[in-house]
């Protein structure tokens, strides 16, 4: 298996001709009909955007200019005297400045307007070009609808024609091959150019990504755009020996930074694979400090096999600098299980309870007495507080309905320690999986992916999906920081946590505080030194409006004020349950002990958290430094968006920092 690392910026095709001092061109690929592939509008030029070369920076601004409807030229350049090496340049709108006055009898009319639109780029670290100044406003009309070809755009078209092979048009698979060796030249349009009768074995089409027309070009365009706008963007592609694309993985800068905060529990979502969607999407998802799902990377999987799962897991682990999660939640799939045990041997691997229970109608719906079977199954899974209770309920269900030969139920029982809540009480899930019958779970891309979503359609929707998720998180940050929470009881626990938790987590904790009043008859039953056992009774709703009384065993250690309830809500959700709160209150403890206030749920968590990473990481490597800096930068960016005053402070400090960088660059010249 060949692995190709694409964790570098895209390099556009270039020509040697320049307009004035330096016009170079990016290539637009024509399809077989001669029409241009539709392209997304390039991102706006912004200070700090970097490129591998001067030519690449010029290409980027030229493409942006063409989409906006104006031409460009190199209006100024700065060179080092000794080396005759360009280290700074100004790329201006073609209408910048004014032409020199001509002494001819009939001089050409003035076409320039002194337009101020421009970008200034500078060579940093002797190898990369960075935008250091930007002006986007023009003093004349610009429009992509104006059918006018500027010099810089004409050369772009000429370069595209020169770059096209004379006998065969460039196809979309060739655009993927811009990052490949010549070995891929035998592949075109997703099918081999050489047939079996010429002595070449046809590859197994069932074990590679089935890219339809436009898909490969869309994915390539997506990676180019993301790398230009996302300096810490990471992606890998996996090809087989016949140069067929097997797997793809990527993670943007935000996903890599967020993993530094929320790496305790990770769900690997394979819904698209198990439900046989046309899009073989696999997503790595975590939970943020608001209890919202956050994307930690995703990819396309060519085949549901151990080999393919192992590749994409290793790609994700490499992207996250080798830092493994504590808990991994997946679907109940045998190849998936084997791959997780191989790549994440130290992680606690669990199956998602919600996914399993969703399959009950499909697997058991045709059986006689299905409704009664379902009721008993739910009771065994959701209501069992002790292992013996689950074992007894399960056995009764199997015997009563004659289900001893049901293979699906047999498999579930054999793997019960990986999905039944009563066996997972010592595992922290950070609220990742539902543990109650009325709780549900939504996939991260729910609403953006359906059975027939294509690769092209998905990458087009990807930005929108992440934008809405980020907006939801930013809104929750503002609400948590600036809002005063409504208190519903006079309990000190509620007052204490209203100052610490984010709004969403406080609302959930608040329901536990309110639930204290449904508990009664808290009494001590045993004492073993400092460890005291209490029984707390609670009236809980069962079916309909019916209620029953349940007894919960709570252990309380008086010296260290440690507490643990048999319901284990703290391990499942990360905050104390009503039963534990009752026992604390019974013993005169007025505040929740600090060890039970998890920092990951606090409103200022990302500002306090610093990810130290794994001990075996090379802290001197550029990859580590970039990722580490990004972890620090995210709280600054998000904090700066909280208010107008904070925005001005953050912007001022960042500008000062950029000025200091420029001074360092100047001292190195």
């Amino acid at each position: 298996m060949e692995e190709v690392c694409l964790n570098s910026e895209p390099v556009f095709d270039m020509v040697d001709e320049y307009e004035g001092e330096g016009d170079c061109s990016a290539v637009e690929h024509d399809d077989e009909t001669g029409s241009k592939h539709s392209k997304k509008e390039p991102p706006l030029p912004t200070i700090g955007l970097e490129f591998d070369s001067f030519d690449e920076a010029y290409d980027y601004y030229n493409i942006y200019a063409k989409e906006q409807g104006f031409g460009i030229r190199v209006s100024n350049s700065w060179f080092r005297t000794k080396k005759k090496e360009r280290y700074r340049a100004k790329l201006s709108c073609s209408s910048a400045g004014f032409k020199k006055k001509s002494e001819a009898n009939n001089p050409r009319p003035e076409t320039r307007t002194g337009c101020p639109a421009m970008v200034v780029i500078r060579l940093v670290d002797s190898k990369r070009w960075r935008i250091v100044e930007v002006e986007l406003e023009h003093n004349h009309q610009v429009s992509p609808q104006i059918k006018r070809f500027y010099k810089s755009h004409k050369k772009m078209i000429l370069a595209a024609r020169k770059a096209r092979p004379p006998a065969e048009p460039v196809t979309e698979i060739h655009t993927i091959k811009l990052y490949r060796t010549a070995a891929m030249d035998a592949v075109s349009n997703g099918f081999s150019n050489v047939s079996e009768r010429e002595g070449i074995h046809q590859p197994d089409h069932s074990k590679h990504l089935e890219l339809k027309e436009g898909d490969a070009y869309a994915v390539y365009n997506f990676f180019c755009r993301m790398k230009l706008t996302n300096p810490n963007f990471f992606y890998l592609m996996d090809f087989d020996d016949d140069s067929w694309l097997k797997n793809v993985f990527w993670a943007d800068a935000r996903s890599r930074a967020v993993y530094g905060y929320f790496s305790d529990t990770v769900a690997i979502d394979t819904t698209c694979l198990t439900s046989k969607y046309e899009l073989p999407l696999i997503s790595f998802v975590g939970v943020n400090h608001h209890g919202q799902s956050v994307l930690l990377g995703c990819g396309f999987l060519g085949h549901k096999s151990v080999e393919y799962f192992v590749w994409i897991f290793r790609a994700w682990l490499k992207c996250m600098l080798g830092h493994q999660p504590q808990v991994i939640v997946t679907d109940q799939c045998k190849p998936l299980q084997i791959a997780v045990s191989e790549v994440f041997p130290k992680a606690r691997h669990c199956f998602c309870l919600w996914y399993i229970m969703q399959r009950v109608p499909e697997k058991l719906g045709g059986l006689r007495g299905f409704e009664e079977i379902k009721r008993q199954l739910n009771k065994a899974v959701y209501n069992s507080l002790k292992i013996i209770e689950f074992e007894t309920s399960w056995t009764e269900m199997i015997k009563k309905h004659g289900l001893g030969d049901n293979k699906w139920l047999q498999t579930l029982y054999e793997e019960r320690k990986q999905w039944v809540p009563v066996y997972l009480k010592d595992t922290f899930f950070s609220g990742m999986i539902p543990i109650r019958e009325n709780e549900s779970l939504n996939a991260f891309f729910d609403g953006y992916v359906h059975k027939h979503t294509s690769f092209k359609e998905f990458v087009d929707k990807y930005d929108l999906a992440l934008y809405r998720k980020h907006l939801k998180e930013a809104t929750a940050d503002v609400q948590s920081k600036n809002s005063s929470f409504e208190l519903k009881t006079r309990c000190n626990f509620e007052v204490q946590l209203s100052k610490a938790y984010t709004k969403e987590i406080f609302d959930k904790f608040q329901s536990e505080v309110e639930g204290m009043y449904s508990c009664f008859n808290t009494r001590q039953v045993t004492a073993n030194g400092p460890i005291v056992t209490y029984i707390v009774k609670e009236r809980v709703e069962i079916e309909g409006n019916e209620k029953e009384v349940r007894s919960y065993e709570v252990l309380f250690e008086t010296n260290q004020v440690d507490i643990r309830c048999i319901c284990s809500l703290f391990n499942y959700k990360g905050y104390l349950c009503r039963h534990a709160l009752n026992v604390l209150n019974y013993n005169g403890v007025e505040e929740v002990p600090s060890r039970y206030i998890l920092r990951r749920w606090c409103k200022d968590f990302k500002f306090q958290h610093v990810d130290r990473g794994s001990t075996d990481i090379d802290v001197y490597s550029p990859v580590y430094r970039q990722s580490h800096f990004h972890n620090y930068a995210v709280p600054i960016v998000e904090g700066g968006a909280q208010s107008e005053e904070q925005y001005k402070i953050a912007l001022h400090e960042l500008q000062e920092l950029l000025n200091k960088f420029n001074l360092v660059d100047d001292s190195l010249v």
Side-chain angles (χ1 to χ4, degrees), residues 135-165:
E135 176 56 59
L136 299 180
E137 296 299 324
H138 298 261
N139 63 3
H140 58 95
Q141 183 182 4
V142 295
S143 172
Q145 278 72 43
I146 298 176
K147 300 300 181 182
R148 176 180 178 184
F149 287 100
Y150 294 90
K151 288 183 179 180
S152 60
H153 304 162
K154 289 179 180 178
K155 297 193 177 195
M156 188 187 301
I157 297 171
L158 290 173
R161 290 174 179 171
K162 290 178 182 179
R164 187 188 307 129

Side-chain angles (χ1 to χ4, degrees), residues 83 124 406 410 474 477 583 608 613 630:
K83 299 181 181 179
V124 294
N406 188 289
Q410 286 177 0
D477 281 337
V583 171
Q608 297 177 356
H630 200 87

